[in-house]
Amino acid sequence: RSPIIVLLAEGALASIGATLISNPFEVAKIRLQLQGELKKKGEYTVKYKGMFHCMAKVFREEGPAALQKGLVASLFHQTTQNSLRLGLFPQAQNLIGACCLGHDYTDGTKPPLYVNVLAGASVGALGSFVGSPFFLVKTRLQAQNKASLKHGAETAVGHQHKYSGTWDALRSVYSEKGIQGLFHGASIAVQRTSLGSATQLASYEWAKGTITTRTGLKEKDIRVHVLSSIAASFIVVSTINPLEVVMVRRYAQGSKASEAGHNSSLGSALKSILKTEGLQGLYKGAIPLFSRMCPHFIATFVFLEQIRNWRVAYYNKHMAN
């Protein structure tokens, strides 16, 4: 059984490596989800026509560095959220198994699906709440368009916050709203990430077990990790994209409470989007979300599995000596 601090470090390292790869897709996703907010088709100017058009336009108008906007905040968000979410997942499995079934899974047995779902939801809620201030800042920085600061808000999507960087954003939010301001939108994030984490971690474990059973590949085979990550990505995007849209818009809001129309409950926000933007509105940014999530999942779980394999090999070598 590994110490909790080791599990937390593994989760953090895996997430950092994945974020460096996936951040440009996150920039595109944020902007597509903010575009045409609570407006019917034809009532707004379509600035970004899709993921690749968005990325190309950001590159052309704002420079290549703009595709890594919010990277520092994103790295801190992933470190805080996923060190808890991924690092504590095995501990949560053991705790829930001990409480519900009378035994944990330190002997190598595989937990049933409902244990993975409960464990994933629990650690997801915790991680999203702790990492919420960084996700708030990340979202606002990635929506921020330099051209809009010079030529007006019509050149951008979403509310424009004039932050110079991560620390300036944190200071600005805190000075204006205090601690409560730093956790603006956290309630939606907890619901979204609980569902997303439960779906991701449970579907990944399910896919990994199915693939190893049907193909005969060993669980440590990197091909198993890649295929399981792809399957988990598809399932997660199908499940959480509507909540993702609400969450991003809530985080991107300005200081006026009524500005973005999403200060009501999650259910009311989803209903408002469905009424004004249709089903398509609930799935805005789904392609870049999958494009970000799939390589991010692959990188995260491949890094995580390899880190754990190295840790086990190191431990076994030194124990043998």
Side-chain angles (χ1 to χ4, degrees):
R1 182 179 301 193
S2 301
I4 290 180
I5 188 65
V6 173
L7 297 176
L8 294 177
E10 290 174 349
L13 288 172
S15 298
I16 288 171
T19 301
L20 294 172
I21 297 170
S22 65
N23 197 64
F25 296 102
E26 182 71 4
V27 173
K29 176 189 74 72
I30 292 294
R31 297 197 178 191
L32 286 168
Q33 290 176 334
L34 291 174
Q35 182 170 256
E37 184 174 354
L38 290 180
K39 292 181 180 179
K40 294 180 180 179
K41 194 172 182 179
E43 294 181 348
Y44 63 93
T45 301
V46 178
K47 182 176 177 63
Y48 305 117
K49 298 177 182 179
M51 179 182 70
F52 291 114
H53 179 259
C54 178
M55 294 173 75
K57 197 161 190 175
V58 170
F59 182 94
R60 185 171 62 253
E61 293 181 353
E62 303 171 58
L67 290 172
Q68 288 290 3
K69 278 191 173 183
L71 179 61
V72 173
S74 189
L75 288 170
F76 275 99
H77 169 250
Q78 291 294 334
T79 301
T80 52
Q81 175 175 285
N82 286 335
S83 62
L84 294 171
R85 195 173 67 89
L86 298 177
L88 293 182
F89 182 61
Q91 297 291 334
Q93 287 176 308
N94 292 335
L95 179 61
I96 293 171
C99 293
C100 298
L101 301 175
H103 72 274
D104 58 28
Y105 303 101
T106 54
D107 58 357
T109 57
K110 297 298 180 183
L113 179 63
Y114 79 89
V115 170
N116 288 334
V117 170
L118 289 174
S122 300
V123 296
L126 176 63
S128 66
F129 182 79
V130 174
S132 184
F134 292 111
F135 193 92
L136 171 77
V137 170
K138 176 197 76 71
T139 300
R140 294 181 175 184
L141 287 172
Q142 289 174 335
Q144 193 167 281
N145 186 333
K146 288 182 179 180
S148 72
L149 302 180
K150 296 180 180 179
H151 306 297
E154 68 276 3
T155 63
V157 295
H159 183 87
Q160 295 295 291
H161 300 268
K162 299 178 182 180
Y163 302 141
S164 62
T166 298
W167 307 117
D168 177 58
L170 289 170
R171 284 194 299 269
S172 298
V173 174
Y174 180 77
S175 63
E176 183 180 356
K177 295 284 187 177
I179 292 293
Q180 184 178 357
L182 291 172
F183 286 90
H184 175 78
S187 60
I188 299 295
V190 167
Q191 296 174 75
R192 176 265 183 204
T193 310
S194 294
L195 177 61
S197 184
T199 305
Q200 178 199 30
L201 296 172
S203 59
Y204 178 79
E205 292 294 326
W206 166 80
K208 190 164 65 169
T210 302
I211 291 168
T212 54
T213 300
R214 295 191 176 183
T215 64
L217 294 172
K218 293 183 178 180
E219 193 172 291
K220 293 183 178 181
D221 194 310
I222 195 170
R223 290 172 293 179
V224 173
H225 307 155
V226 171
L227 292 173
S228 300
S229 298
I230 294 171
S233 300
F234 180 80
I235 295 170
V236 171
V237 171
S238 301
T239 304
I240 70 163
N241 200 82
L243 282 72
E244 180 91 7
V245 173
V246 175
M247 180 184 71
V248 165
R249 293 178 176 183
R250 179 72 62 88
Y251 275 123
Q253 284 179 339
S255 58
K256 294 181 181 179
S258 61
E259 181 179 353
H262 291 301
N263 285 302
S264 54
S265 67
L266 174 61
S268 296
L270 290 169
K271 185 177 179 181
S272 295
I273 294 173
L274 186 62
K275 183 178 179 179
T276 56
E277 301 174 57
L279 185 62
Q280 183 180 359
L282 293 175
Y283 280 90
K284 279 185 176 179
I287 293 176
L289 177 60
F290 178 81
S291 299
R292 178 196 70 82
M293 195 170 280
C294 190
H296 187 91
F297 278 12
I298 291 172
T300 297
F301 284 116
V302 168
F303 285 147
L304 184 63
E305 299 277 9
Q306 294 306 310
I307 290 168
R308 286 179 174 171
N309 290 340
W310 293 334
R311 185 249 301 165
V312 170
Y314 178 84
Y315 178 81
N316 289 339
K317 178 180 179 181
H318 284 75
M319 284 294 292
N321 297 331

